[in-house]
Amino acid sequence: MNEYDTHAIQSQLAGVGYSFVDNIHEADLVLLNTCAVRGKPVEKARSLLGALRKEKKRRPVTVALMGCLAQLPEGQAMGAKFGVDIMLGPGALTDLIPALRQGRFQSFAFRDELRDYAPPPPKGALSAHVAITRGCNHKCTYCIVPTTRGPEVSRPAADILREVEALRDAGVVEVSLLGQNVNSYGLEPGLGPHRKLLPGFPSFAELLRMVGQIGIPRVRFITSHPINFTDDIIAAIAETPAVCQYIHLPVQAGSNRTLRRMAREYTREYYLERIAAIRSQLPEATLSTDIICGFPGETEADFEETLTLYDAVQFDMAFMFVYSEREGTPAARHFDDIPHAVKVARLMRLIERQKHWSLINYRRWVGHQVEVLVKGPAHDGDLMQGHTRGNHTVLVPRTVAPRPGLYTVNIAHATPHLLYAEGAALPENRPVATAA
């Protein structure tokens, strides 16, 4: 979502005559579009603001702090400390140009016009994002997003389809539909799996089918909430060839006790039932998840349940984090944190479990042909990097894929995190599976 918002910001700036430079020392205007979901990006923003304060002492430069951190008291205090000129929350992106005219400006409103705002297609891009919802109605006790991005709002389907059509006409071959919870697209305010549709809105499953018929070869979506991942969504994926069978379904924890404390609205058993439903209709689907290690009060027994759930699902990939307390969340107010060393130790154990299952799952692709969207050069100058429809990262010889685009390649090797196309040499000392 931040990448999408950043593109919107760049488009507004270009529209009033700004050009872009690669070095802050050459810039008249520097904008930090921030994340606040975890502690690490906040510390990165703090460090950058410190460097920019020194830059402002050397020469005139306007500094803007935008995004989720700017919406929070923590970010607003940082803005005051470091002499930030413009502060805009993620719901006030359309205030950017008026803010620049005023010089010093703050806005933390959630503008209605943002719902209808569609940036122009990114120039020369093969993949692009499209926001279908903004905000979140869920009250997960660890999460600051409902505070920073406000309540859930769905964009009209006609606007979404026009934006996707413009991307198709601009040469985009992969579009990702974005929302804090895309599954609740078009639903009336509230929570739970039984909300009715808003008048005039399709369901998310119907929207997937509509976008899948526009002519873009690849359609993705992120992020899903298990409580709203219904059977009709699974059917829409199965019946719409353009929709990639990559499903990111955050579980966060495998213990019912921890899930209750997180206010995740589902049980371990419900989540596993959703996985079984996906597997029954989409046996080739790639499954990924998010997991938090060391949530306040998590016992060793609770964590063991997360490990056993991982074994039961056998995720292809996972995004794993230690719990990061965020000021203003219910978890920060009401729960006592556990020692950092315990959280890190559990994360290391989970990473080892992830590597085990990822290697097994990645090996299944060895000897098969796959479609890869090559995005650009890899770190090795002889290789290009891309990803499959299942979101597996693939390294392809430059001789096979000399430029970005869609290619069909044979997979020859696999590691826990990478697939290697035929002809791509593996670095030494890396776990590998090779076709017989």
Side-chain angles (χ1 to χ4, degrees), residues 101-376:
R101 295 190 184 111
Q102 293 192 35
R104 295 195 68 83
F105 187 89
Q106 292 187 349
S107 177
F108 309 109
F110 295 99
R111 300 295 185 197
D112 290 340
E113 58 264 29
L114 189 60
R115 184 189 71 168
D116 304 317
Y117 179 76
K123 188 175 180 180
L126 293 175
S127 61
H129 305 299
V130 172
I132 65 170
T133 70
R134 287 184 177 272
C136 186
N137 289 350
H138 296 279
K139 305 297 181 184
C140 302
T141 58
Y142 54 82
C143 187
I144 201 68
V145 167
T147 300
T148 61
R149 289 192 174 266
E152 188 179 277
V153 178
S154 295
R155 291 179 63 198
D159 292 352
I160 294 168
L161 296 177
R162 276 195 296 269
E163 188 172 349
V164 175
E165 288 168 353
L167 291 170
R168 176 202 61 198
D169 295 343
V172 168
V173 298
E174 179 182 83
V175 65
S176 295
L177 306 181
L178 300 180
Q180 268 66 47
N181 176 13
V182 290
N183 314 140
S184 61
Y185 172 81
L187 298 181
E188 63 186 6
L191 292 171
H194 303 300
R195 284 186 283 165
K196 295 180 180 179
L197 284 171
L198 292 165
F201 279 79
S203 68
F204 177 61
E206 292 166 335
L207 183 69
L208 276 180
R209 289 186 169 96
M210 294 160 73
V211 173
Q213 294 171 0
I214 285 175
I216 288 184
R218 290 185 174 192
V219 177
R220 299 179 178 277
F221 57 90
I222 194 169
T223 293
S224 295
H225 193 291
I227 202 68
N228 299 115
F229 204 90
T230 53
D231 288 343
D232 61 334
I233 295 173
I234 301 172
I237 298 168
E239 296 163 8
T240 312
V243 177
C244 295
Q245 295 191 14
Y246 168 65
I247 297 170
H248 182 66
L249 198 63
V251 66
Q252 306 299 2
S255 155
N256 282 336
R257 175 177 172 273
T258 302
L259 290 170
R260 282 194 300 272
R261 290 165 66 84
M262 290 178 167
R264 285 293 287 170
E265 304 173 46
Y266 54 84
T267 62
R268 171 193 177 100
E269 291 75 21
Y270 178 90
Y271 185 89
L272 290 174
E273 186 275 327
R274 289 292 81 204
I275 295 297
I278 293 168
R279 296 285 196 208
S280 67
Q281 292 196 55
L282 305 168
E284 298 298 319
T286 300
L287 288 174
S288 68
T289 197
D290 293 342
I291 296 179
I292 296 171
C293 294
F295 186 76
E298 181 186 72
T299 65
E300 180 62 24
D302 291 327
F303 181 67
E304 285 292 339
E305 289 195 69
T306 296
L307 294 178
T308 59
L309 181 138
Y310 205 109
D311 289 338
V313 179
Q314 303 173 17
F315 294 103
D316 293 78
M317 53 197 79
F319 301 90
M320 302 158 288
F321 312 95
V322 298
Y323 169 73
S324 179
E325 183 177 279
R326 305 307 302 128
E327 182 182 346
T329 60
R333 290 195 301 267
H334 302 300
F335 300 149
D336 293 329
D337 208 354
I338 66 177
H340 183 69
V342 174
K343 293 189 279 191
V344 172
R346 288 176 182 169
L347 176 64
M348 293 301 103
R349 289 164 61 192
L350 183 62
I351 288 173
E352 288 306 309
R353 193 66 55 98
Q354 175 265 322
K355 287 180 180 177
H356 169 78
W357 288 115
S358 291
L359 181 58
I360 290 172
N361 288 325
Y362 275 48
R363 280 174 170 166
R364 293 174 182 156
W365 296 100
V366 173
H368 291 266
Q369 282 193 334
V370 299
E371 179 192 87
V372 178
L373 175 55
V374 172
K375 302 291 286 292

